[in-house]
Each structure stands twice: as structure tokens, then as C-alpha cells.
Amino acid sequence: MKRIFLIAAILCSSLMVLQSCSPKGAAGTNVTRGNVTGTWVLSDITYEGVPEANVKSLFDEGPASCFKGGIWTLTNSGNGSYTLPGGGTCAAKTQSIYWSASPADQTFQFKKLFEGDKAKNVTSGYRSVLASGDGNTLVIKSPVEYGTSPSYVVLHFTKATK
């Protein structure tokens, strides 16, 4: 009985922590899932509330600068990938992902899929703020820990030309 109570307490605590840590976007954004699907080029990276030098890694891949010029493919089914261009100290890489967007909650989230993984079995991932998107441009703000106020790495995407 004590174990059941302990497990329930841990689960409740975990849910409260996850809920309190989830990013909140700006009110009034009108982004739809259709504005997010497609092939995107990461054209610019900016920093909000944190100096660039304090961000050591983005999505556990390495420096955020390694993502610049990368191609993100987000299909309507939720399957997708991102390709890092490489160069300098950055390695070229393609990573399969499973993504979702919730315009109502203003969130964009994805989890990395490795060979043999099924999305339903992967329990860790990344949640960001879906700041804006109009079908031609997309802005996603990835939260980072810095100080006491909200801080973000801001990813600016443009729709890839066919």
C-alpha cells in the first residue's frame, strides 16, 4: 500500500513539474497546423533573454549555429526530419523526428526517432513555443534556462522553394 501511495505521489509531482515548465506563448497568434507542415529552411537564429554565448547546445545536438541553413521537413502525418548542413566544427546530419503542433496551446513539439524506434515508444522530446506562422514564414521559440525570466533561442524559418 505504501508503494502505491509513493508511486502516485511521484506521478502527481512529475505532472505538476511538467505542467509548470511548459512554455506559454504570446496571446493572439493564429497559427494552424497547415501553416506548419511543409519543407522549411532555418534562415536565422536569434536569442531572447539570453546571451548567445550562454547557449551551449540546441536539441542536444550541439551549438545552435550548426542548425542555421538546415532543412526541416514536416509532413501532415507527423513524420519528419531535419538536416543539418555541416561545415566548420558542425557535422552534417539528418535526424528523423515525429512532430506535432498545438495552435491552441501555442506549442510545437517533436521527438527524435532512431533506427527501429516507434514514435509511441519514445518518451522524451522537445517542446517549444509556436510563436508565429503564416505558411511562408515560421517562428519557433525554444526555451532555455538562464536566470529567472523566460529565455529562448528563436528559430526563424522560411518556406523552401520547390
Side-chain angles (χ1 to χ4, degrees):
M1 189 65 158
K2 287 182 181 180
R3 282 189 180 177
I4 292 173
F5 179 73
L6 180 61
I7 291 171
I10 290 171
L11 286 174
C12 288
S13 298
S14 298
L15 288 174
M16 288 184 347
V17 167
L18 289 174
Q19 181 63 26
S20 67
C21 292
S22 65
K24 306 291 184 242
T29 58
N30 288 325
V31 182
T32 65
R33 183 175 173 89
N35 293 136
V36 178
T37 58
T39 302
W40 299 92
V41 177
L42 182 54
S43 55
D44 194 21
I45 300 171
T46 58
Y47 299 85
E48 196 174 286
V50 60
E52 179 179 351
N54 287 63
V55 179
K56 302 297 181 206
S57 180
L58 181 63
F59 306 129
D60 300 318
E61 288 285 353
S65 59
C66 292
F67 281 81
K68 194 164 183 182
I71 306 292
W72 290 61
T73 304
L74 306 172
T75 66
N76 197 37
S77 69
N79 293 308
S81 66
Y82 61 79
T83 301
L84 304 182
T89 60
C90 302
K93 176 181 182 176
T94 297
Q95 176 65 58
S96 295
I97 63 172
Y98 188 80
W99 70 278
S100 65
S102 176
D105 295 335
Q106 298 164 334
T107 59
F108 173 83
Q109 52 199 11
F110 72 92
K111 43 188 164 182
K112 295 179 183 180
L113 300 178
F114 297 96
E115 177 119 13
D117 283 345
K118 293 186 187 272
K120 67 180 182 177
N121 297 332
V122 177
T123 58
S124 62
Y126 307 89
R127 180 174 289 185
S128 300
V129 176
L130 189 55
S132 66
D134 62 10
N136 293 313
T137 61
L138 178 66
V139 178
I140 296 174
K141 297 166 72 173
S142 180
V144 293
E145 289 186 28
Y146 182 76
T148 58
S149 59
S151 303
Y152 301 95
V153 175
V154 184
L155 309 174
H156 301 267
F157 295 90
T158 55
K159 192 77 155 205
T161 56
K162 294 183 180 184

